[in-house]
Amino acid sequence: MDKKRLVNEKSKDEQLEMFRKDPESESEFLTTNQGVRVSNTDISLKAGERGPTLLEDFHLREKITHFDHERIPERVVHARGSGAHGYFEVYEPMTEYTSAKFLQDPEKKTPVFVRFSTVIGFRGSADTVRDVRGFAVKFYTEEGNYDLVGNNIPVFFIQDAMKFPDFVHAAKPEQDNQMPQASTAHDTLWDFVTCHPETAHMIMWAMSDRAIPRSYRMMEGFGVNTYRFVNAEGKGRFIKFHWKPLLGIHSLVWDEAQKISGKDPDFHRRDLWEAIEMGDYPEYEFGVQVIEEEDEFKFDFDILDATKIWPEEEVPVKIIGKLTLNRNPDNFFAETEQVAFCVSNIVPGIDFSNDPLLQGRLFSYLDTQLIRLGGPNFHEIPINRPLAPISNNQREGYHRMTINKGKTSYFPNSVGGNLPRPASAEEGGYDNYMEKVEGKKIRERSEKFKDFFSQAKLFWNSMSEPEKEHIIRAFHFEVGKVIDPEIRKAVVELFNNVDGELAIQIAKGVGISASEQKGGSPVTKESPNVSQERTEYAVKDTIKSRKIAILAADGYDHKDVSQVMQALKGAGAHADIISKYRGMLKSSSGEKLEVDKNYLTAASVMYDAVYVPGGKGSIDTLKMQGDAIHFVNETFRHCKPLGATGEGIELFKVANLPDIKFAGQKSTDKVVSDKGVVTVMKGDSSSFNDSFIVAIAKHRHWDREKKEHVSA
Ligand code: HDE
């Protein structure tokens, strides 16, 4: 029903109540914040056409005052983020492990809001910097909000919350000149690292491809800390949480990541937004690792130490549900910026462990929201409001929204019917897990916490050769930027404790003569699941939602383009036509094709693969365009798939792709697929499409040994 009519039919009280609930209900006219309709919002009230502005212009003052106060403090870490709405479904009742209601009924969808983020950069920094990514999920369960605030790397830099401010101070831009932005490639971070050998394991992950994800949709998530599941009988078990992306785990390469920071600083934000708009809903399976209480001390690591993984080969991940993100926020500030995750937001059936990092986090998140969101009522901001009813005696404070009725705000009371009252466990009251704790007050950590290098070595052992090469190159970049040679030397020495050969390789790139090789940690074990290439969760058989660039000019072969575009679309990928100018292209047979991007608004680094169709006119033009040749070279250098049909192959030849075999000239010749470069002269379009799709699904072709001979 029309809102205005509805308003007229209601009593004054009802109208007031309605406007309070929905202050924007009368949206046709521009009003002040007091609801007064404004007649002019362009010109301020003045004494005469050329006279001074009058202080009585309440609309001008209100408009500017609001603007002056529009910024809130950015998050002290994880300032830059992207949010999405969605839902969570459990696959089977988890009754044996936990009483949490949202983990019982496979028919039920629990609404969620997820915020992905980088950690170190300021709010306006670029998305594709080398950094950890936040993966925070707010479940709006029927028992209240549950926040699982995780990262895309399963371990952390430090073991104890006490060190967090020191760590963040060292990682953020330096104190004197506020440089560098969104980067750990500077002296104070590496000084901190070398003063804290417990960082070694996390640094290995941070130097790996994990720290430059291709997309928020293609990275894992981890709860990092150790939590507890508690079932209805009160039995507790230690657990760690995992998110496994159904599109697999994929990364950028470092050169690409750096270039994207300039070409499209919003790359990850845009990717998530566009995927959801196009109906490519990101999906992640939810998994738990479970350790029985009696097995607490069975492992060669302490299960409360957040710098250690529970190797998935030793403690398998049980997949228990799925998260789907299917709606973009309506308003970035109201939702993504104001969402307040608190590790202490927990529901019955889940509890904390004594992990000393987690214990500190329990304090920090609530505390930080008080300053960031301006007071203790931030739970009333729509994005933070639970779906479960709230009823307590906390009433006052800045920005109170709820108008509570009645006289009492204390318990017990006789005036207000003794309500609200605490709930028993049967009534859904949260019961803390009854853990027996005994001990002296002490500032110490357990012995196994002091093994800093075994799992760093486990990680190194588990990497594929290309992944190892990327890690070494990341050290060369990061430590290569460190000015103080003593710090660079200390880094080499620290990683000599992990692996002697790794230390030698680091030393080589950062201007330090390799110190005596210690041989590093004696660990020889591997954990393939920590490798993106080797993990059982690697997905390399779909091109769903990948982006393919098609390079063309006037005179392109229309048949070639349409059949490849159709095949890509059929496989769920998206193609963009790229040419020197936007507008329309004309094919050799007279058809028209709209150009999506020009060489200035697109770049190879923004795509997963490149296709060059035939058509003599088109190729003669492209061969003379440095931008087109650069596009091909860069794609090759970054080990991404390339495809060409007919005359399109000539562009690859001009680009001098080293050691690559192309399809021959005769129309009888078959499709040739060599190190991710797929070509066919004429004819067999369906086997070209199949081979090209297989090459794209593989994502990267690391076997291009001479890629570095290509200048791009
Ligand atoms: Fe956080 N962290 N953190 N953190 N963290 C914050 O809370 C903190 C840690 C993580 O999208 C802050 O609302 C301490 C581990 C994410 O809004 C702050 C310690 C993990 C987000 C804070 C840690 C995380 C935050 C800053 C060490 C992975 C962004 C703004 C004891 C499991 C959430 C805010 C969002 C945000 C404190 C360590 C993940 C200051 C003290 C380990 C994803 O409260």
Side-chain angles (χ1 to χ4, degrees):
M1 195 192 290
D2 173 61
K3 261 183 190 160
K4 254 195 248 165
R5 259 190 54 217
L6 194 82
V7 168
N8 292 337
E9 282 164 15
K10 285 184 180 285
S11 74
K12 209 159 165 229
D13 265 6
E14 282 172 329
Q15 279 183 34
L16 251 181
E17 200 55 35
M18 208 179 114
F19 281 126
R20 279 181 180 150
K21 279 197 188 124
D22 183 9
E24 304 266 320
S25 57
E26 189 95 13
S27 60
E28 185 182 345
F29 296 108
L30 186 80
T31 72
T32 67
N33 281 342
Q34 301 309 314
V36 176
R37 289 182 190 173
V38 169
S39 60
N40 184 322
T41 192
D42 301 318
I43 301 173
S44 42
L45 187 68
K46 296 196 295 277
E49 276 171 17
R50 304 182 60 248
T53 302
L54 300 176
L55 196 58
E56 71 183 68
D57 188 346
F58 56 88
H59 175 47
L60 170 76
R61 277 188 291 118
E62 184 196 79
K63 192 173 174 182
I64 290 193
T65 308
H66 192 278
F67 170 75
D68 291 345
H69 295 255
E70 279 173 9
R71 290 293 168 275
I72 60 171
E74 66 174 31
R75 288 166 174 81
V76 59
V77 281
H78 296 264
R80 182 169 178 81
S82 269
H85 293 271
Y87 57 90
F88 174 79
E89 298 155 296
V90 70
Y91 287 152
E92 54 187 286
M94 294 301 293
T95 329
E96 185 190 341
Y97 296 95
T98 172
S99 60
K101 285 214 172 124
F102 78 106
L103 295 175
Q104 305 305 328
D105 182 359
E107 299 295 310
K108 192 166 194 155
K109 289 184 176 176
T110 302
V112 300
F113 186 78
V114 176
R115 184 174 178 274
F116 300 109
S117 49
T118 51
V119 181
I120 291 301
F122 295 177
R123 231 180 81 176
S125 55
D127 281 344
T128 59
V129 297
R130 177 174 295 283
D131 198 353
V132 181
R133 300 298 185 285
F135 192 136
V137 183
K138 190 180 280 293
F139 297 82
Y140 301 89
T141 89
E142 61 184 288
E143 296 176 292
N145 285 356
Y146 170 50
D147 292 355
L148 177 53
V149 194
N151 279 342
N152 77 327
I153 289 182
V155 286
F156 202 62
F157 295 96
I158 46 167
Q159 297 174 324
D160 192 308
M162 181 75 115
K163 294 260 41 139
F164 193 64
D166 297 295
F167 165 67
V168 176
H169 291 169
K172 284 265 182 183
E174 296 190 359
Q175 280 293 298
D176 51 356
N177 56 20
Q178 192 83 156
M179 292 194 283
Q181 176 56 248
S183 168
T184 46
H186 60 109
D187 286 45
T188 55
L189 180 279
W190 288 96
D191 189 25
F192 181 91
V193 166
T194 54
C195 294
H196 294 85
E198 73 201 58
T199 57
H201 186 201
M202 175 72 168
I203 288 291
M204 296 296 293
W205 286 79
M207 293 302 107
S208 80
D209 297 343
R210 299 273 179 167
I212 38 173
R214 157 68 180 82
S215 156
Y216 288 138
R217 303 176 293 123
M218 300 172 195
M219 64 183 200
E220 281 181 283
F222 303 92
V224 178
N225 295 117
T226 299
Y227 291 89
R228 270 198 175 86
F229 264 168
V230 185
N231 68 15
E233 285 76 53
K235 181 174 168 52
R237 294 176 173 93
F238 294 105
I239 51 161
K240 274 195 193 274
F241 291 114
H242 295 250
W243 296 108
K244 306 282 186 191
L246 289 187
L247 289 175
I249 310 152
H250 302 287
S251 285
L252 301 167
V253 298
W254 182 227
D255 181 58
E256 212 180 5
Q258 285 183 289
K259 287 172 175 164
I260 296 172
S261 289
K263 292 279 181 191
D264 184 7
D266 304 305
F267 187 73
H268 285 150
R269 187 176 272 189
R270 194 182 312 286
D271 170 271
L272 180 67
W273 180 274
E274 287 182 352
I276 293 174
E277 289 298 296
M278 288 190 289
D280 291 331
Y281 297 145
E283 293 173 316
Y284 310 79
E285 285 196 308
F286 191 44
V288 283
Q289 286 177 295
V290 183
I291 291 183
E292 299 291 337
E293 284 202 334
E294 50 274 28
D295 295 337
E296 182 173 358
F297 300 106
K298 217 176 87 180
F299 299 90
D300 53 12
F301 49 85
D302 194 315
I303 67 163
L304 301 183
D305 176 359
T307 66
K308 307 282 166 34
I309 54 165
W310 299 355
E312 292 180 27
E313 294 75 11
E314 276 178 69
V315 187
V317 176
K318 183 177 166 56
I319 299 294
I320 65 168
K322 194 174 82 176
L323 166 72
T324 306
L325 300 179
N326 64 351
R327 184 162 66 85
N328 279 316
D330 292 310
N331 184 283
F332 183 90
F333 182 84
E335 301 177 271
T336 310
E337 193 59 11
Q338 291 201 112
V339 65
F341 293 96
C342 292
V343 179
S344 48
N345 288 355
I346 202 113
V347 289
I350 305 179
D351 209 327
F352 313 111
S353 75
N354 295 332
D355 169 345
L357 197 72
L358 175 60
Q359 295 281 320
R361 292 182 76 205
L362 291 177
F363 164 72
S364 178
Y365 288 67
L366 178 58
D367 179 50
T368 207
Q369 312 306 351
L370 297 176
I371 177 78
R372 199 171 71 79
L373 297 167
N377 289 314
F378 63 86
H379 61 283
E380 296 190 312
I381 297 172
I383 192 70
N384 296 322
R385 265 184 225 153
L387 294 177
I390 309 176
S391 183
N392 59 39
N393 294 317
Q394 287 137 223
R395 299 282 164 93
E396 303 180 10
Y398 282 113
H399 318 304
R400 183 65 177 177
M401 305 289 158
T402 310
I403 304 168
N404 294 100
K405 296 190 176 143
K407 285 183 191 303
T408 57
S409 60
Y410 55 91
F411 179 85
N413 65 68
S414 61
V415 181
N418 207 21
L419 294 175
R421 65 171 177 83
S424 66
E426 293 69 42
E427 290 167 320
Y430 187 93
D431 253 354
N432 291 83
Y433 181 65
M434 272 210 269
E435 184 188 6
K436 189 170 176 221
V437 184
E438 266 176 15
K440 294 192 177 112
K441 285 183 193 167
I442 188 172
R443 293 188 191 273
E444 246 311 337
R445 46 188 167 184
S446 88
E447 215 35 49
K448 283 183 189 164
F449 272 57
K450 295 172 194 159
D451 172 7
F452 305 130
F453 304 117
S454 296
Q455 288 208 349
K457 181 69 187 299
L458 179 78
F459 184 78
W460 178 246
N461 292 345
S462 313
M463 294 291 105
S464 66
E465 280 310 312
E467 285 175 314
K468 282 188 173 170
E469 188 193 317
H470 298 166
I471 291 172
I472 292 165
R473 303 264 297 158
F475 271 109
H476 288 179
F477 178 89
E478 292 268 319
V479 186
K481 285 210 165 195
V482 169
I483 294 163
D484 185 344
E486 288 306 313
I487 300 176
R488 278 183 272 140
K489 192 160 164 244
V491 173
V492 173
E493 273 163 16
L494 178 67
F495 287 90
N496 213 350
N497 294 301
V498 178
D499 185 88
E501 184 52 32
L502 169 66
I504 289 173
Q505 291 301 327
I506 298 174
K508 208 168 151 188
V510 303
I512 297 296
S513 52
S515 50
E516 197 189 324
Q517 190 177 339
K518 282 189 200 155
S521 146
V523 170
T524 54
K525 268 196 296 195
E526 295 181 14
S527 169
N529 276 317
V530 300
S531 153
Q532 293 191 181
E533 290 283 306
R534 301 172 64 202
T535 171
E536 63 194 280
Y537 299 98
V539 176
K540 294 193 174 158
D541 59 359
T542 173
I543 68 165
K544 201 167 167 271
S545 84
R546 299 280 168 76
K547 288 185 76 184
I548 300 23
I550 299 182
L551 305 186
D554 281 335
Y556 71 93
D557 184 320
H558 195 74
K559 224 173 104 204
D560 275 12
V561 174
S562 11
Q563 55 92 4
V564 170
M565 279 180 84
Q566 213 179 338
L568 293 174
K569 195 171 168 207
H574 306 286
D576 273 353
I577 306 292
I578 294 159
S579 197
K580 184 166 180 182
Y581 303 112
R582 282 199 72 165
M584 296 306 262
L585 293 182
K586 210 168 157 195
S587 78
S588 52
S589 42
E591 293 91 344
K592 292 205 165 151
L593 184 67
E594 188 171 353
V595 175
D596 297 294
K597 296 222 163 85
N598 65 31
Y599 292 136
L600 294 172
T601 56
S604 91
V605 292
M606 290 146 75
Y607 292 89
D608 293 299
V610 172
Y611 166 63
V612 185
K616 187 168 176 329
S618 170
I619 294 305
D620 284 349
T621 307
L622 295 187
K623 281 198 299 195
M624 305 306 286
Q625 290 176 344
D627 285 333
I629 297 169
H630 180 73
F631 217 104
V632 169
N633 277 336
E634 213 174 32
T635 307
F636 184 84
R637 175 118 191 217
H638 295 150
C639 298
K640 291 188 287 198
L642 290 135
T645 47
E647 294 90 350
I649 301 171
E650 284 174 39
L651 186 67
F652 290 179
K653 289 186 181 160
V654 173
N656 279 329
L657 308 183
D659 274 356
I660 294 294
K661 289 189 214 67
F662 300 114
Q665 299 300 320
K666 283 181 266 149
S667 56
T668 48
D669 280 342
K670 297 233 159 4
V671 174
V672 173
S673 184
D674 187 20
K675 305 184 192 77
V677 182
V678 185
T679 50
V680 71
M681 202 48 220
K682 280 268 173 274
D684 198 357
S685 62
S686 79
S687 50
F688 170 81
N689 293 340
D690 292 347
S691 306
F692 191 38
I693 287 172
V694 167
I696 302 171
K698 200 167 164 219
H699 208 72
R700 300 283 165 157
H701 297 266
W702 305 123
D703 51 348
R704 290 179 194 162
E705 276 156 24
K706 295 197 179 158
K707 57 182 181 292
E708 292 190 10
H709 295 196
V710 176
S711 68

